[in-house]
Amino acid sequence: MDIPVFILAGLLVHCVFLVSIFDIYFSSPLVHGMTPQQTPLPPPAKRLVLFVADGLRADSLYELDSSGTPRAPYLRSILENNGSWGISHTRVPTESRPGHVALIAGFYEDVSAVAKGWKENPVEFDSVFNESKYTWSWGSPDILPMFAKGATGDHVYTFCYAAESEDFGAEDAAKLDIWVFDHVKSFFNSSRSNQTLFSALNEEKVVLFLHLLGIDTNGHAHRPNSREYQENIKKVDEGVKEIASLIDNFYGNDGKTAFILTSDHGMTDWGSHGAGHPSETLTPLIVWGAGVNYPQKVTSQFFEDNFLKEWKLENLKRLDVNQADIAPLMASLIGVPFPLNSVGTLPLEYLNSSALFKAESMFTNAVQILEQFKVKMSQKKETTLSFLFTPFKPLSDSEQINFLKKIRLYIQQEKYDEAVSLCKTLINLALEGLSYYHTYDRLFLGLSIAVSFVGWTTYVILVIIKSHTNLTKTVPANKKKSTILFYGFASAGMIIAFFLLIQKCPWTYYIYCLLPVPVWYAVVKEIPVIQDLATSVLSLHIGQSIGFLLVCILGIEILVFSFFYRSALTVGLLVFAGWPVMTQLWIQAKTKALIWTLLCVLLAIFPLMPVVGREPNIPLVIAAGLLTLLMSSFSLASLCKSENKYRDNEDLKVYFYQMFSVALSTYVVGSTHNSLKIKQGLPIMNQIISWMTLVSSPVLLLLSPTFLFERLFSILLSLMSTYLLLSTGYEALFPLALFGLMFVWINMEQEALQHYGLSLKPKLAVFNFTCAMDITQFRQLHLDDVRRSFFFVFFIVTAFFGTGNIASINSFDPASVYCFLTVFSPFMMGGLLLLKVAIPFVLVSCAFEAVQVTTQLSSKSLFLIVLVISDIMALHFFFLVKDYGSWLDIGTSISHYVLVMSLTIFMMVMNGLAQLLTAQRLGLPRRTKHHST
């Protein structure tokens, strides 16, 4: 296979592996075609007011402050005297969009929907707002429009502030909540002089939704333990009190208004959310008003956490719910049909109504979830051959009829408790059945991908052995055998395609199930290589072979372990520190070996540090900038002194521009964070400099000479000027330590090359990347090259996890992008944070490119070994993906697989980028010197 074709095939195969995980584990759970279900009895409330305090943690609202007084006095008095309370348990990802969908539509949106945007609806869904007669909503332009767009008809009205108002650098984000409260007040005041609006407000089945974003914005900007966050809670408490009083007065205290206050997600102590930490998944729920139970006094209650004692609420019954349970609660209170896709179970303990109403509501809930089960089952039945279809036995057609008859009979006989108990059993079975049919094809698809994975990895190993080693003999291909093989695999592919066609499977199934055919065809075609390899392995000393295999397995396991525990990287780096001693390299290069050991130990400290962003430390960022300038000055001085007949001193000017850029970045970081500290926002001049630095850095880098040391030095300066702008603490020192180790690594590999007598040592001082591209005679691979490739993968993983576990969404700190923007923009912020993650990656890739060319290896040969190592890791994580256990475990297992697959694809791209950054140079017109004759 040609090299460009091989790379393209590799990219496509890995893209399929990456996307498959979303089809296998994250396909949309929604089904359509159900009949709306509504409780046949009159509801207790005519209208419902929903307050969602975005980003509000349960403990932040319920706990008392240092003086023993509640942070939210009005809401505290409500839960003590007028309503019911508890904790609403959210699910991963703890982001605003999925949180609101769970609250208002009653189902848990699949994670892939987060990537499709906050404002649009990737899938159509029903909601309490859609089922209401009228809904008026106030708040963020990121949340409200998606429920208006999802509604049928024109009865969901939205009032949003400008997107620019969501500014993390603003004086006080509480103004967002004050805007909402003020607009609700003016809305009710204006309705008195607007007869159409007045009569609409007096209808039944009305919802008023107040989305309060201030707490979330203040939490991101100042952290949840800050004065700003806690003051914002007080302002929300006062606002809720005013609005509740205003609405009660407007309706003449008719006692027909129900109120709910909750949150879409919580927040970590370091001001982020997205993962499954309890501070993110535990949100408050306070319900009061029409149809809601009064506080229930208890002498004791048991929960695994110790919050009740901390909050001084031991004697008030705590009623915990899942976030999706709030949608059926709202539907039941105002008598609208339960949202069609809701999977929530009505929390009866919140209702203060007759036993008949509770039983009927529960029956409606059970039928509504059963409807989804029936649609899901019929869909799966239609797309599966009858003799292969395995139904969900606990809910066969006869069992369903049995359940419904029994429940109806219990209600007629006024055995309401039995009816409710049976409804809960039916709901649980229907939810189990929904999950059963939703994951029906998971094993079959998973096996297809695993078979492709093993086939692809085997093929890459065979390509390495065939093209880059002396282990095989070139045997002329047997055309007859090749033709039989081709037709055999083509027939297998046609049978699989026909099988999928008659089952009306989605087009993606064809890709996953047919992929093993060409992959294994390519493997089987190389049978002579496999035979030669087997002969070579058998001729080796068995102890050596097993030892080599065990070392490889141990190395890969350490890499896999590091995804769970960053400290594994520290262990690995300390082992690396002893590498020169283990291989006797220190004898021939004592100084280099000592520097290597010291830098390994220095870098080993970073994985032991807390995750970045939790403790901002701007003086450390400034120190990193000054250290970069100091190192640059020494390097520049040594460059000026060194004699290189190929170098033009005009080239040194580029380094002065780059050093100026680093100095400017250092100033901007300090200046911006000071400005934000005194709440003066992001200075426009700083913002312009930051964006200009980001754009100009790669250009300056490509203007520098392509000599090995000079180009790598230029890469460091260019990347550091951007990295400093994206740093908030100790991580600013990380690229410096990493670059130091990478530079010594390049030198150490030269010594290793000489040590094993593989080739003569080139002079690194005058080594030019552009000349390296002209090498026509590459050497064959040696066993030591596997170690080189492993070093690269290990350094790549260290670059990723060295300063934080980015497999978790909540380890991203929005403060990192404050030099560029402070107004909330998820994709712009996400892009900048990914750039920050990629910078250490680029450093390692460029160093690896230097190792490849200076050790006279084809860049493809080493890269193929890297591909094998990363694919074995990816296969490891593929089998570690789980869909059971805690949401934290599920989310972590999937994000690890996605991360290692992205890493493999990214490394393919980075391989090309490293060649561009090291070997390409932009030519500028130079002044010609005139010599007098």
Side-chain angles (χ1 to χ4, degrees):
M1 197 184 281
D2 292 332
I3 285 169
V5 177
F6 181 81
I7 290 172
L8 185 65
L11 268 172
L12 286 172
V13 166
H14 284 87
C15 285
V16 170
F17 291 161
L18 176 59
V19 173
S20 70
I21 203 75
F22 292 103
D23 250 352
I24 297 170
Y25 290 92
F26 277 155
S27 54
S28 176
L30 298 192
V31 285
H32 300 285
M34 291 80 68
T35 316
Q37 302 296 321
Q38 188 175 348
T39 309
L41 300 172
K46 283 186 176 179
R47 67 203 72 89
L48 178 123
V49 184
L50 173 64
F51 300 96
V52 176
D54 203 304
L56 176 61
R57 287 160 52 146
D59 58 344
S60 297
L61 179 70
Y62 293 138
E63 72 187 2
L64 306 174
D65 62 21
S66 52
S67 59
T69 54
R71 290 214 178 99
Y74 174 70
L75 289 168
R76 183 79 176 199
S77 72
I78 288 289
L79 70 88
E80 286 178 350
N81 307 306
N82 304 85
S84 294
W85 75 284
I87 287 176
S88 164
H89 297 262
T90 73
R91 282 193 185 178
V92 173
T94 45
E95 297 289 347
S96 290
R97 182 198 161 93
H100 281 88
V101 169
L103 283 171
I104 298 159
F107 72 92
Y108 300 104
E109 202 167 31
D110 60 292
V111 176
S112 57
V114 180
K116 295 172 188 170
W118 271 251
K119 298 177 186 178
E120 300 302 320
N121 287 337
V123 283
E124 290 304 314
F125 58 83
D126 190 22
S127 70
V128 173
F129 295 177
N130 188 37
E131 297 292 354
S132 69
K133 185 75 179 282
Y134 294 106
T135 292
W136 285 275
S137 55
W138 296 265
S140 165
D142 295 324
I143 296 298
L144 305 190
M146 73 178 179
F147 293 103
K149 282 183 185 175
T152 49
D154 190 23
H155 64 281
V156 178
Y157 303 99
T158 60
F159 304 93
C160 308
Y161 37 74
E164 293 74 39
S165 305
E166 298 174 24
D167 189 348
F168 295 142
E171 196 170 325
D172 187 9
K175 67 180 183 188
L176 299 175
D177 300 340
I178 292 163
W179 184 98
V180 170
F181 294 134
D182 288 347
H183 277 71
V184 174
K185 288 174 201 168
S186 62
F187 172 79
F188 275 96
N189 289 336
S190 66
S191 71
R192 297 182 190 279
S193 55
N194 181 336
Q195 193 52 47
T196 313
L197 179 58
F198 187 80
S199 55
L201 277 167
N202 280 283
E203 292 273 5
E204 292 185 350
K205 300 174 183 177
V206 164
V207 177
L208 301 164
F209 171 42
L210 284 73
H211 176 242
L212 309 165
L213 188 64
I215 292 173
D216 183 70
T217 310
N218 267 323
H220 284 308
H222 306 288
R223 312 287 186 260
N225 295 319
S226 65
R227 183 183 54 80
E228 289 84 355
Y229 185 89
Q230 289 164 9
E231 283 294 321
N232 204 150
I233 293 172
K234 278 186 182 162
K235 283 178 184 168
V236 163
D237 182 61
E238 289 159 12
V240 168
K241 183 181 180 181
E242 285 177 34
I243 298 300
S245 172
L246 171 84
I247 289 170
D248 284 341
N249 291 337
F250 182 85
Y251 290 106
N253 292 303
D254 63 353
K256 288 289 178 182
T257 310
F259 297 91
I260 294 179
L261 179 130
T262 187
S263 174
D264 54 347
H265 55 76
M267 190 171 280
T268 59
D269 288 342
W270 53 95
S272 60
H273 53 83
H277 190 272
S279 61
E280 298 163 272
T281 58
L282 304 183
T283 58
L285 174 64
I286 301 175
V287 190
W288 71 101
V292 180
N293 245 335
Y294 285 100
Q296 298 168 57
K297 295 275 193 287
V298 287
T299 48
S300 68
Q301 48 186 332
F302 174 74
F303 286 91
E304 282 184 9
D305 53 57
N306 296 315
F307 292 137
L308 289 169
K309 207 169 184 181
E310 287 173 32
W311 300 339
K312 304 280 190 289
L313 290 169
E314 306 100 309
N315 300 323
L316 288 174
K317 191 165 188 184
R318 170 178 148 186
L319 308 169
D320 282 16
V321 300
N322 290 320
Q323 197 171 39
D325 299 343
I326 296 170
L329 175 63
M330 293 193 285
S332 180
L333 285 169
I334 55 170
V336 298
F338 286 38
L340 292 173
N341 299 110
S342 171
V343 292
T345 306
L346 177 64
L348 288 178
E349 287 180 293
Y350 276 89
L351 295 178
N352 180 18
S353 44
S354 67
L356 172 63
F357 181 83
K358 287 181 179 179
E360 284 288 1
S361 296
M362 208 66 196
F363 182 59
T364 306
N365 193 181
V367 172
Q368 170 260 322
I369 293 175
L370 187 65
E371 279 283 310
Q372 292 180 72
F373 168 80
K374 284 153 86 171
V375 171
K376 195 85 172 173
M377 183 177 74
S378 65
Q379 281 180 357
K380 193 45 67 186
K381 216 171 186 175
E382 281 170 25
T383 59
T384 310
L385 294 171
S386 54
F387 67 90
L388 289 174
F389 181 71
T390 314
F392 181 68
K393 288 190 175 68
L395 269 188
S396 59
D397 291 349
S398 57
E399 280 294 323
Q400 290 174 38
I401 295 163
N402 229 355
F403 264 110
L404 297 173
K405 274 184 179 173
K406 261 189 183 176
I407 295 165
R408 188 40 70 202
L409 187 66
Y410 279 143
I411 292 172
Q412 285 167 359
Q413 293 172 347
E414 297 186 4
K415 293 179 178 176
Y416 300 125
D417 289 344
E418 287 89 337
V420 165
S421 175
L422 208 54
C423 284
K424 285 180 178 174
T425 307
L426 179 56
I427 286 171
N428 289 334
L429 283 173
L431 289 173
E432 270 180 49
L434 265 174
S435 175
Y436 172 79
Y437 287 120
H438 185 57
T439 60
Y440 193 82
D441 297 327
R442 188 171 288 177
L443 181 67
F444 153 65
L445 292 175
L447 279 172
S448 295
I449 293 297
V451 167
S452 300
F453 237 126
V454 173
W456 170 257
T457 309
T458 309
Y459 178 65
V460 176
I461 292 169
L462 292 175
V463 168
I464 294 167
I465 289 161
K466 185 182 176 182
S467 310
H468 303 284
T469 67
N470 300 317
L471 292 174
T472 58
K473 303 183 287 288
T474 49
V475 182
N478 185 324
K479 283 190 178 176
K480 193 181 176 186
K481 273 188 181 177
S482 297
T483 311
I484 293 166
L485 262 181
F486 176 77
Y487 284 120
F489 275 91
S491 306
M494 285 165 75
I495 292 164
I496 293 168
F498 176 72
F499 182 75
L500 294 170
L501 187 70
I502 56 174
Q503 293 199 96
K504 300 174 191 166
C505 290
W507 64 271
T508 49
Y509 282 33
Y510 288 82
I511 296 171
Y512 305 144
C513 299
L514 289 172
L515 185 61
V517 177
V519 169
W520 279 100
Y521 169 65
V523 171
V524 175
K525 255 176 73 178
E526 303 295 346
I527 278 179
V529 180
I530 297 169
Q531 289 167 341
D532 286 349
L533 177 64
T535 311
S536 302
V537 169
L538 290 170
S539 66
L540 290 171
H541 188 271
I542 195 151
Q544 281 181 329
S545 304
I546 292 169
F548 177 70
L549 200 64
L550 286 173
V551 168
C552 289
I553 292 167
L554 181 68
I556 289 170
E557 285 305 313
I558 285 177
L559 285 172
V560 169
F561 209 66
S562 70
F563 277 67
F564 299 95
Y565 306 99
R566 287 167 60 217
S567 52
L569 292 172
T570 301
V571 174
L573 285 164
L574 292 175
V575 172
F576 281 12
W579 166 57
V581 178
M582 288 184 265
T583 55
Q584 305 290 305
L585 273 177
W586 68 279
I587 295 169
Q588 71 189 61
K590 285 190 171 64
T591 312
K592 287 177 188 172
L594 183 64
I595 297 169
W596 164 268
T597 304
L598 289 173
L599 285 170
C600 280
V601 172
L602 178 66
L603 199 65
I605 297 167
F606 285 92
L608 299 175
M609 305 280 275
V611 170
V612 163
R614 302 188 180 185
E615 296 295 330
N617 193 332
I618 301 305
L620 266 181
V621 181
I622 294 166
L626 296 173
L627 189 59
T628 308
L629 289 171
L630 188 67
M631 282 170 61
S632 309
S633 304
F634 281 120
S635 303
L636 209 54
S638 68
L639 272 179
C640 292
K641 282 178 190 172
S642 67
E643 289 179 18
N644 187 341
K645 60 182 176 183
Y646 306 107
R647 188 195 297 119
D648 184 343
N649 283 334
E650 285 255 325
D651 295 333
L652 298 178
K653 286 182 182 175
V654 175
Y655 300 119
F656 287 112
Y657 295 137
Q658 288 184 306
M659 285 170 70
F660 177 69
S661 181
V662 170
L664 211 53
S665 295
T666 309
Y667 165 75
V668 167
V669 169
S671 161
T672 300
H673 285 272
N674 278 338
S675 178
L676 292 173
K677 210 172 185 180
I678 55 174
K679 298 188 179 172
Q680 287 184 356
L682 167 60
I684 189 72
M685 199 61 200
N686 289 10
Q687 193 174 18
I688 292 166
I689 292 169
S690 298
W691 284 107
M692 281 177 69
T693 303
L694 182 67
V695 174
S696 65
S697 291
V699 179
L700 283 173
L701 152 61
L702 292 173
L703 290 172
S704 66
T706 52
F707 292 103
L708 186 134
F709 174 68
E710 280 116 289
R711 179 49 70 98
L712 291 177
F713 173 46
S714 182
I715 287 169
L716 173 72
L717 288 180
S718 268
L719 296 179
M720 272 307 285
S721 56
T722 305
Y723 197 81
L724 286 168
L725 293 169
L726 292 165
S727 298
T728 58
Y730 75 86
E731 82 271 24
L733 296 162
F734 182 68
L736 292 175
L738 186 65
F739 175 78
L741 187 61
M742 291 301 95
F743 189 70
V744 179
W745 180 37
I746 296 163
N747 283 276
M748 287 297 287
E749 289 298 357
Q750 294 308 303
E751 300 296 338
L753 209 60
Q754 208 177 11
H755 182 72
Y756 289 104
L758 295 175
S759 70
L760 293 170
K761 193 164 70 167
K763 281 190 175 180
L764 289 184
V766 291
F767 190 89
N768 197 318
F769 278 112
T770 46
C771 301
M773 296 299 108
D774 301 329
I775 295 173
T776 49
Q777 193 58 53
F778 292 116
R779 66 177 176 83
Q780 293 285 47
L781 283 170
H782 179 262
L783 212 53
D784 196 45
D785 294 318
V786 176
R787 192 258 321 142
R788 272 186 192 92
S789 301
F790 177 76
F791 270 29
F792 171 61
V793 178
F794 190 92
F795 288 138
I796 281 288
V797 174
T798 305
F800 259 69
F801 291 111
T803 58
N805 183 350
I806 73 144
S808 168
I809 306 169
N810 75 18
S811 65
F812 285 135
D813 180 18
S816 296
V817 300
Y818 287 172
C819 288
F820 294 90
L821 74 162
T822 53
V823 174
F824 181 64
S825 171
F827 294 109
M828 184 73 81
M829 288 178 161
L832 287 166
L833 288 165
L834 284 176
L835 173 67
K836 181 182 178 180
V837 167
I839 284 172
F841 204 164
V842 175
L843 281 175
V844 176
S845 296
C846 291
F848 187 57
E849 180 64 21
V851 166
Q852 288 178 131
V853 295
T854 57
T855 54
Q856 294 171 339
L857 270 172
S858 151
S859 60
K860 302 298 170 288
S861 58
L862 270 191
F863 185 72
L864 289 175
I865 304 175
V866 167
L867 205 57
V868 170
I869 295 168
S870 54
D871 278 347
I872 293 169
M873 282 170 65
L875 188 60
H876 211 113
F877 283 115
F878 184 80
F879 289 116
L880 286 175
V881 169
K882 51 168 87 169
D883 62 334
Y884 57 88
S886 77
W887 273 93
L888 181 59
D889 292 343
I890 295 167
T892 303
S893 71
I894 290 167
S895 62
H896 281 164
Y897 175 74
V898 170
L899 188 65
V900 81
M901 276 317 304
S902 308
L903 201 68
T904 310
I905 295 167
F906 200 35
M907 279 195 287
M908 289 182 173
V909 176
M910 291 302 293
N911 192 36
L913 180 65
Q915 285 180 16
L916 172 80
L917 292 179
T918 53
Q920 297 303 315
R921 188 177 185 192
L922 295 176
L924 287 182
R926 293 174 181 267
R927 287 174 301 174
T928 51
K929 294 178 183 177
H930 298 283
H931 299 279
S932 54
T933 51

